[in-house]
Amino acid sequence: MGATSTTPRVGIVGLGGIGTHHANCLLDNDANLVAGLDVDAQARQRFAEEYDVDTYADAEELYEAVDAVIVTTPNAFHEEYTVAALEAGCAVLVEKPLAHTLDSAERIAAAARDSPEICMIGFHNRYDPLAEAVASYAEEGFFGEIQHVDATYVRRRGIPGQGTWFTDADVAGGGALIDLGVHAIDLVLSIMDFPEIEEVSGVTRSTFGPRDDYVDVDSWGVEEGEFDVDDSVISQFRTADDATISLDVAWASNREKEKSFLFRGTEGGAKLDLDGELTLYDSSGSGVDHHRTTTIDAEEYDAHAAEQQAFLDAVAADEHPDRNTVEQGLYVQRLIESIYQSSADGSAVEF
């Protein structure tokens, strides 16, 4: 179908929590939200009443009514809806990860290559203003050559929906790594301009999820249900230029929560805290030898809304963006697969 005006008609596929958040962001962006789709009748009724839009159980009917869709289903269904939407002539923003398995991600990427429609993947952290500042500093040469990055995305307690699809490997494809690790990996790689990775090592663990005495004072989890995924991972990548990336990701851990990225370069460094602060480090010989530490704060900001706006602008202009591309999402998916392989093999693997 393709967009026919500067205000593309948008539908949400998957009307759960993240679908609702996307719907609210669309309203904040004054976008043209016209429809929703879900296999659950109660979800459809709730969404129709809350947003005053048509809802569908049949995907083909939805695709006829919209120009673009935002796919927010469980991971195992990303391929089904993304590929069908592209074939129906709709632009697609599909939430991360690209898919639940590498094979499924490859098929999505193939469909995107064959389609003239725009397809983006939902790595919203790239649109955080402080993350954008780090990317700009990297592009301007502030860091010189980035030699090492420590990426930490850790919760003290935060297993999402234990016993739901989030903790079912057949549907999610993995646990903390595929849920949180994709964000950390993508953000680092995008700032480093997607370097060539040569070697991957990693260890995935399932420490807290299977325990009967799991303590969650914030009620992120439930007491019963399937749990056959990882709840933490430690990994390291080595690039062709011998730069290194360390990854520490956990849904649950006995430490303080943290979402930070430490960049060490030959000329400068930075600590990016996604909770709202960026610190830059460098040295100068101007006047007297000295170190400089600069702190940058940011106001509360919804990166999902900014990501959405970039997608809507691309659809309206009918121009494929060079940011959040499916190929980049596929590269991240391959790294995830390599981490799981390394953990299973007990050794580093070539990438």
Side-chain angles (χ1 to χ4, degrees):
M1 180 183 299
T4 56
S5 73
T6 57
T7 56
R9 299 165 299 166
V10 184
I12 304 289
V13 179
L15 306 180
I18 187 62
T20 299
H21 180 67
H22 272 286
N24 291 333
C25 289
L26 286 169
L27 297 183
D28 290 341
N29 283 330
D30 293 325
N32 191 17
L33 174 63
V34 300
L37 178 143
D38 203 286
V39 296
D40 183 80
Q42 290 184 337
R44 293 196 301 272
Q45 181 179 354
R46 174 193 56 77
F47 196 83
E49 292 174 352
E50 184 169 354
Y51 297 101
D52 191 26
V53 298
D54 294 330
T55 57
Y56 301 86
D58 182 272
E60 291 185 4
E61 293 182 7
L62 173 77
Y63 301 147
E64 287 295 321
V66 300
D67 304 306
V69 296
I70 301 176
V71 177
T72 66
T73 64
N75 303 340
F77 308 107
H78 284 187
E79 178 187 350
E80 172 187 347
Y81 290 109
T82 299
V83 172
L86 290 171
E87 291 177 345
C90 296
V92 180
L93 172 62
V94 55
E95 263 296 347
K96 62 80 193 171
L98 189 54
H100 66 308
T101 67
L102 179 57
D103 286 343
S104 183
E106 294 273 13
R107 290 190 290 270
I108 293 174
R113 293 184 202 110
D114 291 340
S115 172
E117 304 300 330
I118 289 163
C119 189
M120 288 176 58
I121 183 168
F123 289 125
H124 69 276
N125 283 326
R126 293 198 195 188
Y127 293 83
D128 180 279
L130 294 181
E132 290 188 316
V134 174
S136 294
Y137 276 112
E139 187 175 354
E140 293 167 2
F142 171 81
F143 298 108
E145 177 186 347
I146 296 177
Q147 295 182 320
H148 180 73
V149 182
D150 285 308
T152 305
Y153 214 124
V154 171
R155 296 170 179 163
R156 185 166 184 175
R157 291 293 186 272
I159 297 176
Q162 185 175 343
T164 68
W165 71 267
F166 276 102
T167 60
D168 183 342
D170 289 338
V171 182
L177 175 57
I178 209 164
D179 180 41
L180 301 181
V182 290
H183 281 306
I185 294 169
D186 174 77
L187 186 57
V188 171
L189 293 183
S190 65
I191 290 171
M192 295 179 71
D193 196 23
F194 279 83
E196 180 183 351
I197 305 295
E198 287 198 342
E199 186 178 79
V200 176
S201 63
V203 176
T204 62
R205 299 183 176 93
S206 183
T207 303
F208 293 90
R211 287 171 55 169
D212 293 333
D213 62 344
Y214 176 70
V215 176
D216 182 7
V217 296
D218 295 320
S219 300
W220 272 66
V222 295
E223 295 181 358
E224 299 178 356
E226 189 78 25
F227 194 102
D228 59 356
V229 297
D230 53 283
D231 56 28
S232 70
V233 60
I234 300 290
S235 182
Q236 187 166 63
F237 310 148
R238 180 176 59 82
T239 74
D241 296 328
D242 284 334
T244 50
I245 302 167
S246 295
L247 178 71
D248 184 358
V249 172
W251 272 342
S253 60
N254 286 319
R255 56 155 293 176
E256 63 183 356
K257 67 177 183 178
E258 183 177 355
K259 288 192 297 184
S260 71
F261 300 80
L262 280 74
F263 296 85
R264 288 163 42 189
T266 55
E267 304 302 323
K271 179 178 181 180
L272 168 63
D273 185 338
L274 285 180
D275 287 327
E277 187 174 87
L278 169 63
T279 306
L280 302 174
Y281 306 95
D282 67 337
S283 299
S284 174
S286 299
V288 60
D289 290 351
H290 60 280
H291 298 307
R292 293 183 296 192
T293 303
T294 306
T295 302
I296 303 171
D297 298 320
E299 297 180 358
E300 189 174 343
Y301 186 84
D302 194 325
H304 274 112
E307 172 192 68
Q308 265 189 18
Q309 191 59 59
F311 171 65
L312 295 172
D313 290 344
V315 174
D318 195 24
E319 294 181 358
H320 289 265
D322 58 5
R323 195 175 184 187
N324 290 52
T325 69
V326 172
E327 294 299 330
Q328 291 168 348
L330 180 59
Y331 193 81
V332 173
Q333 193 96 32
R334 288 172 175 161
L335 281 170
I336 291 169
E337 183 74 10
S338 294
I339 294 171
Y340 282 131
Q341 180 185 342
S342 173
S343 184
D345 293 350
S347 62
V349 298
E350 292 184 3
F351 182 69

